[in-house]
């Protein structure tokens, strides 16, 4: 498994595991727990979740799934913007820690920009770092102007990452956000790297996949993983899906294949507003 390093020195795999919409259907709980545990055993040791997911139900599932595995995992969670005041973020983190059955979160993110001043959120994050409740903090769904404002705020340069929507059909960050992150040596975390399975699987994706005897969405995930400085966090609710994601990591796309994908899924030629789903 290829790795990437955060500014504070933590090294993580470029392929992790997302958990959005997991833990919400009791009949799927056993399969989802097995999938997460398998992913960890296959080297996908970064696990991403959020208090928003299932209003805490997903964090509870992750806590159960990581029983006995916590020290092997780099655990990421996110705080609601309306909970991101200096005191509110501390209280929210405590609730997440309880659901996750752990004493620390490795990376704690502001889920998206809200009305709370950034300096208040940063102060709460830093208090959590000082208390050993989180190891580092970052943001999610921040566009370039948000990152500039963050870095101008007191303590803002301690940000470890920005997690955004990025895949073949959502390439907007490539225009200006990804270069900015690269200049500041911040990894970008890509959520929904295969558009929750909704990418068109006919055409060029099918053509490349057929020649390689793999699935089209594995090619789409391999493309995200080919981007420098990017961590992909696809969700997989079954062991078969986990194995397919892990196999995508080992697909090295040729220059010809990358050019074909660029032709059919064009890179942005102008600024696009950051997208969220």
């Amino acid at each position: 498994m290829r790795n990437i390093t955060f500014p504070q020195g933590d090294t993580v795999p470029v392929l992790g595991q997302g958990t959005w919409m997991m833990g919400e259907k009791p009949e799927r709980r056993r399969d989802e727990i097995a999938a997460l545990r398998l992913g960890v055993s296959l080297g996908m040791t970064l696990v991403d979740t959020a208090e928003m997911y299932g209003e805490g139900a997903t964090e509870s599932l992750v806590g159960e799934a990581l029983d006995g595995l916590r020290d092997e995992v780099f655990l990421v969670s996110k705080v609601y913007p309306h909970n991101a005041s200096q005191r509110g973020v501390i209280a929210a983190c405590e609730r997440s820690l309880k659901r996750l059955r752990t004493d620390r979160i490795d990376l704690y993110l502001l889920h998206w920009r809200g009305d709370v001043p950034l300096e208040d959120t940063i102060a709460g994050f830093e208090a959590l770092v000082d208390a050993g409740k989180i190891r580092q903090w970052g943001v999610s769904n921040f566009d370039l102007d948000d990152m500039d404002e963050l870095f101008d705020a007191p303590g803002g340069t301690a940000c470890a990452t920005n997690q955004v929507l990025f895949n073949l059909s959502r390439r907007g960050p490539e225009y200006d956000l990804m270069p900015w992150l690269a200049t500041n040596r911040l990894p970008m975390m890509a959520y929904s790297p295969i558009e929750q399975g909704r990418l068109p699987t006919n055409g060029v994706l099918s053509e490349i996949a057929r020649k390689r005897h793999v699935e089209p969405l594995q090619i789409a995930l391999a493309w995200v993983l080919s981007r420098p400085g990017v961590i992909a966090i696809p969700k997989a609710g079954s062991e078969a899906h986990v194995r397919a994601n892990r196999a995508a990591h080992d697909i090295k796309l040729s220059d010809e294949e990358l050019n074909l994908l660029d032709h059919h899924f064009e890179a942005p030629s102008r600024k696009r507003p950051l997208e969220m789903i």
Side-chain angles (χ1 to χ4, degrees), residues 77-188:
S77 194
K78 298 182 281 291
V79 60
Y80 266 127
H82 61 256
N83 287 337
S85 65
Q86 184 170 350
R87 290 185 177 181
V89 73
I90 294 171
C93 182
E94 292 286 1
R95 293 191 294 270
S96 288
L97 288 169
K98 185 175 181 180
R99 290 189 291 263
L100 290 164
R101 305 184 188 183
T102 186
D103 61 351
R104 83 277 184 198
I105 294 170
D106 296 299
L107 176 61
Y108 199 35
L109 308 180
L110 174 61
H111 208 151
W112 64 87
R113 187 77 186 270
D115 296 329
V116 176
L118 289 175
E119 54 265 32
D120 291 356
T121 303
I122 294 169
F125 280 154
E126 290 298 335
L128 288 166
V129 171
D130 291 342
K133 302 292 185 180
I134 67 174
R135 298 183 56 224
Q136 55 197 304
W137 61 268
V139 295
S140 181
N141 297 301
F142 270 43
D143 209 340
L144 181 58
D145 55 347
D146 299 311
M147 294 304 300
D148 281 331
E149 187 176 343
L150 177 69
F151 264 47
D152 285 340
T157 56
C159 175
T161 191
N162 185 12
Q163 183 182 124
V164 299
L165 174 63
F166 181 66
N167 57 53
L168 272 169
S169 67
R170 312 270 195 161
R171 297 183 63 175
E174 288 182 80
Y175 184 76
D176 55 3
L177 180 59
M178 288 176 70
W180 187 97
L181 293 171
T183 297
N184 288 277
R185 299 183 179 182
L186 297 185
M188 188 182 83

Side-chain angles (χ1 to χ4, degrees), residues 6 15-22 36 40 44-51 53 58-59 61-62 66 73-79 100 105 107-111 139-140 161-164 189-192 231-236:
F6 286 110
L15 178 60
Q17 300 185 83
T19 61
W20 189 17
M21 294 183 287
M22 294 175 72
L36 285 170
V40 172
M44 299 157 62
T45 53
L46 185 151
V47 177
D48 175 87
T49 189
E51 68 170 346
Y53 300 168
T58 305
E59 286 184 323
L61 175 108
V62 169
L66 298 184
V73 169
F74 187 91
L75 185 58
V76 184
S77 194
K78 298 182 281 291
V79 60
L100 290 164
I105 294 170
L107 176 61
Y108 199 35
L109 308 180
L110 174 61
H111 208 151
V139 295
S140 181
T161 191
N162 185 12
Q163 183 182 124
V164 299
M189 298 181 70
Y191 72 83
S192 297
I231 301 164
I233 48 170
K235 184 200 81 170

